[in-house]
């Protein structure tokens, strides 16, 4: 056995016994003296990958930085424009991605292009980084370059996604239609540009593909739907006496889509409808005006024997063959009159000011802009003509935000908000303020159904249902304040301040 074969045998033994640090250190030494031996670099690459896979994720950043330092050291021994030059820059780029330093990652991926500019995966990696940085025009350029080199479904899907984000809906549809072998989730994702273009029949039909899977949601960390397999699904045509409509997705979705339960009850007056939902929202809906609608929730055992068919609530527009959306005209929210009166008395001391509710931070994580720093509201909250109210529950994050501002005394906050039931005090606050300022969250839909004047702050990337105009599609009381460029939502606040002052003058000076 030659000396180099013995070395490789020793390294293999170290790999088997998971002595990855020793492998890395030995191979770095060997590589700097025998850089033409590819296998040493392979050992280093594999040792780092095994180290990361065997470590707790919380310790990985230290490993990434160690890897970056060592690979940068190796670069000094690698001839420019060599294959190893590209491999090492790609590895460093990926570690920077894992460290959330996407700008530096891009610089390393671009080094590869100076040597070889016809590798689709390099353009795809750069596109991912630009996407996280919300540099969507650059994402589009990279993906189109990747497609020219190699057309594949994954790139078409990502191109469909980025064109949706930037409201280039026709281009998004074209990209999705170019996918040769779409999965059910791909077909589901392709519904959104159609819905955004208000092609509802096509869009909601594609939206039904979500039912093929019930994955854990990245936003809520919960399964998307409650599965009740023993009840057959209703197609809107077959005979049905008692239909169960099942809650799915977020609270705001269910508040918004309850209107379609009412529409279904009008279309099928002899159909008994039970809305099965979570106990944290079952008290929100007033079904007294509708003889054939009932509510039950997950706080008690469910007798499924009484139901002929089932539907998920987000399927209702498809079942109703929705072709057009008009502003909601029914307040189907169950308000507590006595609680409203209590809050009216509490807020009466501010009757000489414009009472403004503020919701500035969303709970869910997504590509949609749903957060403004509380400090950015200073100009609004410190204006003597305005009394602002925080409509958030005072959890750790919100409390910390208040500790970090110097005008906390100008905002009324309530430590016991909604302690008896979710939203019960929020609803009464909404009923007793003049204006709500909110990001895209469930309270926007609650206020919209209640007819509360609302300024909805929408970012450059937004949910399809707010379309790309400022038209009042869902609620007459909700005015969309939209960001037309990729800038922070906070940049909308000077415009909001002007609208609030106009509102104050109309109320008190006219």
């Amino acid at each position: 056995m030659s000396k180099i074969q013995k070395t490789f045998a020793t390294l293999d033994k170290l790999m088997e016994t998971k002595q990855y640090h020793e492998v890395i250190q030995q191979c770095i030494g060997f590589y700097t003296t025998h850089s033409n031996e590819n296998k040493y670099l392979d050992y280093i690459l594999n040792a780092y990958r095994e180290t990361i896979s065997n470590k707790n994720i919380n310790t990985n950043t230290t490993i990434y930085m160690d890897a970056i330092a060592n690979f940068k050291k190796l670069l000094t021994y690698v001839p420019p424009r060599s294959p190893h030059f590209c491999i090492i820059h790609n590895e460093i780029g990926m570690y920077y991605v894992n460290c959330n330093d996407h700008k530096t990652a891009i610089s390393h991926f671009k080094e590869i292009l100076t040597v070889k500019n016809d590798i689709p995966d390099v353009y795809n990696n750069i596109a991912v980084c630009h996407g996280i940085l919300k540099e969507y025009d650059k994402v589009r350029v990279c993906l189109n370059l990747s497609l020219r080199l190699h057309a594949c479904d994954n790139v078409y899907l990502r191109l469909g996604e980025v064109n949706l984000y930037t409201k280039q809906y026709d281009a998004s549809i074209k990209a999705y239609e170019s996918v040769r072998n779409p999965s059910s989730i791909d077909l589901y994702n392709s519904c959104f540009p159609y819905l955004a273009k208000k092609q509802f029949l096509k869009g909601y039909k594609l939206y039904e593909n979500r039912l093929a899977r019930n994955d854990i949601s990245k936003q809520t960390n919960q399964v998307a739907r409650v599965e009740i397999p023993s009840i057959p699904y209703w197609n809107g045509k077959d005979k049905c006496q008692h239909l169960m409509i099942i809650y799915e997705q977020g609270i705001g979705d269910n508040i918004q889509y309850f209107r379609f339960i009412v529409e279904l009850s009008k279309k099928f007056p002899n159909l008994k409808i039970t809305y099965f939902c979570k106990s944290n929202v079952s008290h929100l809906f007033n079904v007294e005006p509708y003889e054939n609608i009932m509510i039950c929730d997950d706080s008690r055992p469910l007798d499924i024997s009484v139901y002929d068919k089932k539907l998920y609530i987000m399927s209702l527009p498809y079942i109703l063959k929705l072709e057009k959306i008009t502003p909601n005209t029914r307040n189907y929210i169950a308000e507590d009159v006595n609680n409203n009166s209590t809050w009216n008395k509490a807020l009466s001391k501010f009757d000489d000011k414009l009472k403004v509710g503020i919701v500035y931070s969303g709970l869910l994580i997504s590509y949609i802009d749903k957060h403004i720093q509380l400090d950015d509201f200073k100009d609004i909250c410190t204006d003597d003509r305005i009394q602002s109210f925080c409509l958030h529950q005072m959890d750790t994050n919100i409390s910390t935000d208040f500790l970090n501002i110097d005008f906390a005394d100008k905002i009324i906050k309530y430590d016991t908000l909604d302690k008896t039931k979710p939203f019960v005090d929020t609803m009464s606050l909404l009923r007793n303020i003049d204006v709500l300022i909110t990001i895209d969250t469930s309270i926007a839909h609650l206020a919209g159904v209640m007819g509360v004047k609302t300024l909805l702050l929408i970012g450059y990337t937004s949910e399809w249902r707010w379309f790309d105009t400022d038209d009042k599609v869902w609620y007459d009381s909700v005015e969309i304040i939209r960001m037309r460029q990729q800038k922070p939502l906070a940049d909308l606040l000077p415009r909001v301040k002007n609208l609030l002052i106009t509102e104050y003058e109309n109320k008190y000076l006219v």
Side-chain angles (χ1 to χ4, degrees), residues 364-409:
L364 303 184
I365 300 172
S366 72
Y367 71 93
I368 301 168
D369 296 325
K370 288 193 176 187
H371 184 80
I372 303 175
Q373 297 294 331
L374 181 57
D375 191 53
D376 290 322
F377 284 87
K378 183 172 185 177
D379 190 44
I380 290 173
C381 297
T382 57
D383 191 300
D384 289 338
R385 294 166 289 186
I386 295 169
Q387 179 57 60
S388 55
F389 300 85
C390 176
L391 270 62
H392 287 279
Q393 287 187 310
M394 297 305 294
D395 61 16
T396 301
N397 291 332
I398 303 301
S399 297
T400 300
D401 289 344
F402 271 83
L403 290 174
N404 291 330
I405 61 174
D406 60 6
F407 57 98
D409 60 317

Side-chain angles (χ1 to χ4, degrees), residues 448-460:
V449 176
M450 292 173 62
V452 175
K453 184 174 181 60
T454 300
L455 302 179
L456 175 60
L457 309 186
I458 295 293
Y460 179 66

Side-chain angles (χ1 to χ4, degrees), residues 456-506:
L456 175 60
L457 309 186
I458 295 293
Y460 179 66
T461 52
S462 60
E463 241 275 347
W464 70 265
R465 71 192 75 193
W466 302 117
F467 307 104
D468 59 352
T469 70
D470 297 340
D471 298 342
K472 296 179 179 180
V473 178
W474 295 97
Y475 315 103
D476 279 331
S477 66
V478 176
E479 183 174 349
I480 295 175
I481 314 297
R482 188 185 300 277
M483 179 59 69
R484 297 290 180 182
Q485 298 175 318
Q486 186 61 59
K487 293 183 177 180
L489 271 179
D491 286 8
L492 294 172
L493 293 179
R495 180 181 167 192
V496 168
K497 173 70 178 294
N498 290 335
L499 291 171
L500 294 177
I501 297 308
T502 299
E503 192 73 17
Y504 172 86
E505 290 173 349
N506 289 339

